[in-house]
Structure formats: C-alpha cells, structure tokens
Amino acid sequence: METEHDGGFARLRRLRVSETMRALVRETSISVKDLVYPIFVIEGKNIKNPIDSMPGIFQFSIDRLSEELDKVQKSGVRALLLFGIPSKKDKIASSAYSDNGVVQNAIRFIKRDYPDFLIIADVCLCEYTENGHCGLVGADGTILNDATLPLLAKMSVSLAKAGADIIAPSDMMDGRVKKIRAALDENGFQKCAIMAYSAKFASAYYGPFREAAHSAPAFGNRKTYQMDSANLREAMREIQSDINEGADFIMVKPALAYLDVVREAKNRFDLPIVTYNVSGEYAMVKTAAEKGFIDERKIVMENLIAMKRAGAKIIITYHALDAAAWIFEENTENV
C-alpha cells in the first residue's frame, strides 16, 4: 500500500523523468564555452571600483585583477574581453597604442599567471581620447576616419605583441579591418584573429558602459559612425565588408533589440556570429531583479537562449559568471 510519503517520491521521480525527456528534445542549449566575460582594467594600484549602474561589475587595477580572475577560472568561463581605463588621455589616444598601456600590461599579467584564458582585446580610441570619440576629431568636430586607421592598426599590433589572441575593433571606422589585418600580418601576427564589431548600432543601451569605461563623448554623439538602429540591410553590407577585409568573427551589438539582425547574419554568412549582451541590457535585468520584479536566473537564461536560438555562436555578457553557475546546476540536476 502506497503511503503519502511514497506518493511524494513517486511524483518527484515522474517530474525528473519528464525533465529528462524535455532536455532530450531541447533544440537550443547554452554552454559555458559559448560565453565571454568582459573585464574593465584601470591604471593605478589597489583599485576595485564598483560601477553603480552595473551591480556586481567593477574596475580592477592589475594588482587586484586576480580577485576576479580566480572567480572566472572557477566558473569554467575561459574567454575574456578586456577594456582599459588609462590614467591620462590626450587628443591622439597615445595610451591606446603604448606598449606599456594598461591593457597591454594586463594581457602580459594574465598570460603569465592565467595562461589558459583566451584574451580578446577591444580596439577603439574612445577610452583614450580627451573627447571620448572612437576616432580622431578634426578642427570642425568631424571624425577623421582615414587618419584614425593607422592608430587602430598600431594599437592592434601593440596588443598582439602583449599576447592578445583576438583583436576586436569596435570603433566602426570604415576600412579598419583591412588595415588591422595588414598590420598584424606584416608584424608576424598572422595567427592573431579579428573579431569585428561589424554591425554596431548607435544605441541607448550603452549608457552604463560609458560610466564603466569613462568613455562618454564630450560633445555630439556617435551616430556619424555607428549604425542607425532602423537599418537591417545596411547591417548586412557592413558585415559583408568586414568579411571581405579579413574578419574571422562578426559581431552584432547590442543583442536583445537586434536578434533579427543576428538571425539574418546567421542565414547569410558562414562565419561565427558573436552578439554582445550589453551594459544597458544587464543593468535592466539586475535592477528589476533587485527590486523583486523578476526572477533573475530565469530571465537571464531565457535571454541567453534567445540569443543562441537567433544564431549567435558566441555571447559576450556581464552575466557570464552567474550563467556558468546556473548551467552547471542545471546539468547536474538533469544527470
């Protein structure tokens, strides 16, 4: 005769069997190997600055970077995207391509003490210029596309020399992938790959990042070189251009409001598609979760599944460490 206690166990067994069956037929899944974790490295010593608009995210000086890298290593995430905050800025972004720059030094530290990490180095001048723009600025305030390209190439070579595995130009200057590829090859870095921010839209979702990277433009906006959020066909042309110039990965940024662009890119192009789950998307989820409006774990995992389902092979996300823990728990529960 089945007792009430036995019935409870029977229901639990049926539930576990149902969940196992559901997992067997699942069409889309997220792996820790799909995730890239962004880190902000700031020049100086003994610095761990919280970013108010991005709960749980910090700026780290190199001497305190191990605090975060130990957590990343334990999570199973093995790919990092590095952004630098220099102590000095100028009109020509000289810290960006200094061999003693903050990101260059961070790369050398990570490669020495954490050699298993794949390092992706962001290439852009916005964190290093006085005006916060991604390219050099002319006397009349216009962005000097062609004059910026040699500096982006110089920055890329400097980062590759420090040990970067992948160069990720996020500036959206025309022709920069071709210029960077040529510079890397000429300097013996033929194996250094390029992850191009190919379809980077002028977006309000970047707000918290600009606090984190100290990169808000001092005047105007970035609409003259970042894409109009209304333009899908233009995004495909931008992606095709970067492929023609030698990109190894192509990125759509931001993620959630642009999943149609991710899907169209997946349908058209035979390169790994990257999407960036940006700071504003992260901040909205964290803030709503802190207020108890949503279930953070369920929302984050649903968002990541949506990005993967749309066609992203690689997801850059500030949720990476939490997501890695949740993926581990889910896999353990389904064993």
Side-chain angles (χ1 to χ4, degrees), residues 143 221-226:
I143 304 302
N221 54 55
R222 294 175 177 153
K223 291 183 178 180
T224 60
Y225 46 98
Q226 293 181 357

Side-chain angles (χ1 to χ4, degrees), residues 122-293:
D122 181 79
V123 170
C124 190
L125 303 188
C126 65
E127 297 111 299
Y128 304 91
T129 55
E130 294 172 342
N131 52 58
H133 277 286
C134 302
L136 297 180
V137 179
D140 62 354
T142 59
I143 304 302
L144 304 177
N145 186 101
D146 293 355
T148 300
L149 299 184
L151 301 187
L152 297 172
K154 191 174 181 180
M155 182 180 182
S156 299
V157 170
S158 177
L159 293 165
K161 190 187 301 182
D165 301 292
I166 299 175
I167 297 300
S170 61
D171 56 283
M172 286 300 283
M173 299 296 117
D174 292 336
R176 89 272 202 215
V177 173
K178 181 178 180 180
K179 192 77 172 180
I180 290 170
R181 183 73 270 162
L184 291 172
D185 292 351
E186 288 167 6
N187 285 275
F189 298 110
Q190 293 88 351
K191 293 183 180 179
C192 188
I194 296 176
M195 179 182 288
Y197 287 62
S198 301
K200 181 178 179 180
F201 293 86
S203 172
Y205 284 104
Y206 303 149
F209 175 91
R210 291 172 182 172
E211 176 196 346
H214 298 177
S215 63
F219 62 89
N221 54 55
R222 294 175 177 153
K223 291 183 178 180
T224 60
Y225 46 98
Q226 293 181 357
M227 290 189 54
D228 186 336
S229 61
N231 293 358
L232 174 61
R233 291 194 298 273
E234 182 188 5
M236 297 304 106
R237 294 195 296 271
E238 292 281 359
I239 291 171
Q240 185 64 68
S241 176
D242 282 354
I243 292 173
N244 293 345
E245 291 181 15
D248 301 288
F249 307 81
I250 50 178
M251 187 190 301
V252 175
K253 180 184 179 184
L256 290 175
Y258 299 88
L259 293 182
D260 60 320
V261 183
V262 174
R263 169 47 57 185
E264 188 67 17
K266 175 66 174 177
N267 289 342
R268 292 196 187 202
F269 304 112
D270 190 25
L271 281 182
I273 309 295
V274 185
T275 196
Y276 197 147
N277 183 203
V278 298
S279 60
E281 298 166 344
Y282 173 87
M284 289 191 298
V285 170
K286 295 295 286 189
T287 302
E290 286 179 353
K291 290 183 177 294
F293 296 158

Side-chain angles (χ1 to χ4, degrees), residues 2-23:
E2 187 182 77
T3 67
E4 182 179 346
H5 183 65
D6 293 333
F9 277 119
R11 286 192 294 273
L12 179 60
R13 285 195 296 271
R14 287 195 296 272
L15 178 62
R16 289 180 64 85
V17 168
S18 176
E19 288 297 323
T20 299
M21 185 180 299
R22 190 179 182 89

Side-chain angles (χ1 to χ4, degrees), residues 41-42 52 92 112 121 177 198 207 301 331:
V41 187
I42 189 167
D52 291 341
I92 58 172
R112 184 193 70 204
V177 173
S198 301
M301 296 310 295
N331 289 341

